[in-house]
Amino acid sequence: DNCIDEINVSSYNLSETKEKQIVKNFIALREELIAEGLFDVNSTYYIYKSAEAFGLLLFAFILQYFTWYLTSAIVLALCWQQFGWLTHDFCHQQPSKNRQNNDLLSLIFGNIVQGFSRDWWKEKHNTHHAATNIVGQDGDIDLAPLLAFVPDDLKKYKSLFEQIISKVIPYQHLYFTFMLPFLRFSWTIQSILFVISAPYNQYKQHVINAPAEQVCILLHWSWVILQLWLLPTGSIRILYFAISQLGAGFFIAHVVTYSHNSVTKFPCKFIKCIIYVYLN
C-alpha cells in the first residue's frame, strides 16, 4: 500500500533522490502484482467480451430486420463503444501473448467493425501513454480550437477563424456535453485521412500495413452503407445514421472525459527530466 502512495506524482518538480525512490516503489509494486498473477492473461474473459460485442452487432441487425430501427441504432452505438474497449486492449497486446493475433484482431475489431484505423490509434495512443496529460505533448487533451482544457491552449489561436472561435471558449462549459457525441465523427475522419496517407508515412511499418488498413476501412464503410441502404426511406436512413454515430460518440466520449480529461494536466515547462524505465 505504501508503494501506491508514492507513484501518483502530482508535480514534476522533484529531486533526483525522490525520482529514484518513485521508480523503486513502482518496480516493487509491479513485481508484487506479477507475483499475485494480476498480469496473467484471462483468455476466457476476452472470448466472452468478444462474443458479447458481436452479439450486440447481430442483435442490432436483427432489430433492424424486424423494423425496430430506433432501438437497432442505439444497440449499434453501444456495440461500437464495446468494440472500442476491446480494440484498445488488443492494440495494447493485452489479450494474448501472440502479437500477430492481437494485431489481426485489432484490425478486424477496429478498422472493419468500428471504422477506426488500428495504426492511427496506436500512434495516437502510444504518444498519449508516453506523455500522459502533458500539455503540448499529449494529443488526447488537445481539443483546440473548440475546447480549451488549460490556459496554454488559448495561445494556439492564431488564424482569424481560430480567434473568432476563441470568443466562445468562455462558454465551453455550456456546450461541452453537446460536443461529446461528435467524437466518433472526429476519429473516423482522422482514421480515413490516416489510411489515405499511410503509403507515404515516415514509418516503414505504417507503409507496410497501409493496404490492409485501407481495405479494412473500406470494408467498414461498405457494410455501414449497405445497412443504411436496406432501410426503407431516406429520412429513416438519416435518423439511423445520426443516432448510431452520435450515440457511439457519446458512449465513448463520456468515459474518456471522466477517465482522462478531468484529471490533472502537467505543463511541459515544469518537467525536469523524463525517466524511461524498462521493466522485464
Side-chain angles (χ1 to χ4, degrees), residues 218-244:
L218 184 61
L219 286 174
H220 169 78
W221 289 107
S222 295
W223 76 256
V224 168
I225 292 172
L226 174 62
Q227 183 192 19
L228 293 173
W229 180 76
L230 292 173
L231 293 169
T233 66
S235 58
I236 292 178
R237 293 185 184 106
I238 294 172
L239 186 62
Y240 190 101
F241 182 80
I243 292 174
S244 59

Side-chain angles (χ1 to χ4, degrees), residues 182-197:
F182 294 95
L183 179 67
R184 176 169 167 79
F185 283 126
S186 174
W187 285 4
T188 52
I189 291 171
Q190 290 181 62
S191 293
I192 291 171
L193 295 176
F194 179 88
V195 299
I196 290 174
S197 62

Side-chain angles (χ1 to χ4, degrees), residues 76-93:
L76 181 58
L78 179 61
C79 164
W80 276 331
Q81 186 226 34
Q82 291 299 297
F83 269 111
W85 309 134
L86 274 172
T87 308
H88 170 275
D89 287 0
F90 277 100
C91 284
H92 272 300
Q93 306 294 334

Side-chain angles (χ1 to χ4, degrees), residues 100-128:
Q100 290 183 331
N101 288 344
N102 290 333
D103 286 342
L104 175 61
L105 288 172
S106 60
L107 190 67
I108 295 172
F109 292 174
N111 294 52
I112 298 178
V113 177
Q114 289 187 98
F116 295 159
S117 163
R118 176 197 62 189
D119 285 2
W120 163 81
W121 173 258
K122 282 187 176 183
E123 185 170 303
K124 170 181 177 293
H125 201 62
N126 288 345
T127 302
H128 161 70

Side-chain angles (χ1 to χ4, degrees), residues 119 197-212:
D119 285 2
S197 62
Y200 317 103
N201 197 282
Q202 60 178 320
Y203 298 113
K204 182 179 179 180
Q205 193 59 49
H206 288 336
V207 176
I208 295 173
N209 296 341

Side-chain angles (χ1 to χ4, degrees), residues 144-145 152-166:
D152 279 357
D153 284 344
L154 301 177
K155 299 176 182 178
K156 302 173 183 177
Y157 297 82
K158 304 294 184 181
S159 68
L160 177 61
F161 172 74
E162 290 174 334
Q163 290 177 3
I164 294 173
I165 291 293
S166 69

